[in-house]
Amino acid sequence: MTQPLPYEGIRVVEFTHMVMGPTCGMVLADLGAEVIKVEPVAGDNTRHLLGSGAGFFPMFNRNKKSIALDLQRPEGREAALRLVATADIVSENFKPGTMKKLGLDYTALSRLNPRLIYISHKGFLPGPYDHRTALDEVVQMMGGLAYMTGRPGDPLRAGTSVNDIMGGMFGAIGAMAALAQREKTGVGQEVQSALFENNVFLVAQHMMQFAVTGKPAAPMPGRISAWAVYDVFTVKAGEQIFLAAVSDSQWAVFCDAFGFDDLKADARLKTNNDRVQAREWLIPVLRASLADRSASELSAIFEKNGLPFAPITRPEELFDDPHLKATGALAPLHLPDGRETSVPLLPLTLDGQRPGVRLQPPVVGEHTRELLAQVGYTKGDIAQLEASGAVRAPADAA
């Protein structure tokens, strides 16, 4: 970045794990904040997840520093409190009551630092459900998203951790708002973000559809589409491609591009709503007409004519996406085992540039000594804390 990042000079201390809390910290870190990840001396358990969780730690913990503290011990909590005294923001996503037991809840920390902004990421905002244990899948099921994603009678969670990620993003948005308000009042505040309420926000369009029409929204695979041509087509060699024509002008262009003069002239297909009513017979006709063309041929025709289309892409194929590579959307990243890869950056630009990776995902306690020294610990103090097991630093750390 040629310009200073917007949150340079802001210090964030995060007590987070998994996805929701770390996403909040990642957003603030990518935008310039100094984000200090407080880990157990054994390291964040997220580092060791398998399967669908294997990418969590490297994805959501870039641009952060790591300090490893045993918060069950007075010495570890004292170190945490010294850090918090220097912080603008504290972020946490543990079960309700956990931070209070440690003396690290908002009430306690705001007495220590009245300017502190405290972000609490939970399953539910305060209310009848707030005692429940929540997961992304739990709130997708109870919040209508799984119903809308799956086929009728077959609820299905979305294919990514949408509520964890967006819940963390809303935590970051709340922190940004609180920082702006602190400029006016001089004091901090508590910000709360929750999985369930985030999920309800995501399905609100379907709630409002019911409010407007009086008819319940059907699951997406079984819905009556608002557009006549808006489908995945199986074409030559079994390839699949999404094709769409969502306006009357696009329908005319589509018909001209493929020589469908008879369909263009058919009075039953004059308007988009007419075509929606005719989908039962129209779509089979289009599927048969396009079946012998390759996905690449269809892509070229649709692109040439400015029509919406998309290949059916797997996540691992995006590492080689020409647009992402050409626009700097993927940044080099070192995995914990030393291998190199690339990682998607925030989907925004500042003054035409993408905020990048300044710090690789840290090893456990990589910055423990550096950070303890900043808050007044001597080398002898730090050595004693390490020897007692209250803190951890890598052998080769500074």
Side-chain angles (χ1 to χ4, degrees):
M1 299 289 294
T2 56
Q3 299 291 332
L5 287 164
Y7 290 106
E8 285 184 18
I10 296 295
R11 171 170 275 193
V12 181
V13 177
E14 65 168 36
F15 302 86
T16 70
H17 61 140
M18 298 297 282
V19 175
M20 190 183 188
T23 296
C24 175
M26 181 200 71
V27 171
L28 296 171
D30 281 10
L31 295 176
E34 178 192 25
V35 178
I36 299 167
K37 182 178 183 66
V38 179
E39 301 190 56
V41 291
D44 183 346
N45 288 334
T46 310
R47 292 177 178 273
H48 311 298
L49 295 177
L50 302 176
S52 60
F56 288 175
F57 191 87
M59 174 64 207
F60 300 111
N61 290 283
R62 64 182 183 233
N63 287 331
K64 298 180 184 179
K65 297 178 178 180
S66 169
I67 183 170
L69 306 176
D70 185 349
L71 296 176
Q72 302 301 321
R73 301 178 59 160
E75 308 97 304
R77 291 195 296 276
E78 171 61 24
L81 289 171
R82 290 202 198 182
L83 272 178
V84 168
T86 70
D88 297 282
I89 297 170
V90 162
S91 175
E92 64 89 13
N93 70 320
F94 284 92
K95 289 182 179 180
T98 299
M99 298 300 281
K100 186 173 183 178
K101 289 178 182 177
L102 294 170
L104 297 170
D105 57 308
Y106 175 65
T107 300
L109 298 186
S110 62
R111 287 195 294 264
L112 174 69
N113 181 357
R115 289 175 55 80
L116 185 70
I117 293 160
Y118 191 98
I119 316 169
S120 183
H121 302 86
K122 294 292 183 278
F124 305 91
L125 293 180
Y129 297 159
D130 63 13
H131 65 284
R132 296 185 186 181
T133 300
L135 301 168
D136 204 316
E137 196 142 347
V138 167
V139 301
Q140 288 194 38
M141 295 292 171
M142 68 184 291
L145 183 57
Y147 173 83
M148 290 303 302
T149 302
R151 295 181 177 88
D154 184 23
L156 181 68
R157 72 157 282 164
T160 187
S161 303
V162 287
N163 292 297
D164 280 312
I165 294 169
M166 284 190 62
M169 291 168 60
F170 276 109
I173 292 170
M176 295 171 189
L179 284 170
Q181 192 166 39
R182 192 178 71 176
E183 290 296 310
K184 301 174 183 177
T185 65
V187 296
Q189 61 181 287
E190 185 175 14
V191 173
Q192 295 178 312
S193 175
L195 295 175
F196 178 61
E197 282 77 5
N198 181 84
N199 187 95
V200 172
F201 186 77
L202 284 172
V203 301
Q205 66 189 82
H206 305 304
M207 296 169 64
M208 299 313 294
Q209 177 184 339
F210 176 75
V212 171
T213 68
K215 297 179 181 179
M220 296 296 279
R223 74 195 184 283
I224 297 175
S225 175
W227 300 283
V229 182
Y230 197 78
D231 292 82
V232 174
F233 290 78
T234 300
V235 294
K236 189 174 182 179
E239 291 183 298
Q240 291 185 306
I241 185 170
F242 174 81
L243 305 174
V246 297
S247 67
D248 294 340
S249 59
Q250 286 187 2
W251 169 251
V253 171
F254 170 74
C255 289
D256 290 341
F258 290 96
F260 296 154
D261 296 339
D262 54 337
L263 295 177
K264 184 179 181 182
D266 194 322
R268 297 172 298 171
L269 305 175
K270 185 176 181 180
T271 70
N272 178 70
N273 286 350
D274 291 333
R275 293 188 293 276
V276 169
Q277 297 295 327
R279 273 178 58 85
E280 187 173 349
W281 65 264
L282 173 61
I283 294 303
V285 168
L286 296 180
R287 292 192 191 284
S289 299
L290 300 174
D292 290 335
R293 296 177 182 262
S294 69
S296 61
E297 179 186 358
L298 289 168
S299 296
I301 294 172
F302 267 65
E303 186 162 17
K304 178 181 178 181
N305 288 278
L307 296 170
F309 74 98
I312 310 303
T313 303
R314 297 183 179 186
E316 65 271 16
E317 296 171 336
L318 293 172
F319 286 110
D320 296 316
D321 182 275
H323 180 83
L324 296 178
K325 293 175 74 172
T327 58
L330 303 173
L333 191 83
H334 302 304
L335 296 175
D337 62 8
R339 288 179 297 141
E340 293 191 2
T341 185
S342 56
V343 67
L345 297 174
L346 291 183
L348 55 81
T349 64
L350 297 174
D351 198 24
Q353 294 181 293
R354 300 286 284 266
V357 175
R358 306 184 313 282
L359 295 174
Q360 297 296 323
V363 300
V364 180
E366 181 176 341
H367 305 91
T368 295
R369 294 171 187 162
E370 167 194 333
L371 293 167
L372 290 177
Q374 287 181 12
V375 293
Y377 288 91
T378 67
K379 288 185 178 180
D381 294 334
I382 297 169
Q384 187 174 357
L385 289 170
E386 287 186 60
S388 72
V391 309
R392 175 182 170 185
D396 59 350

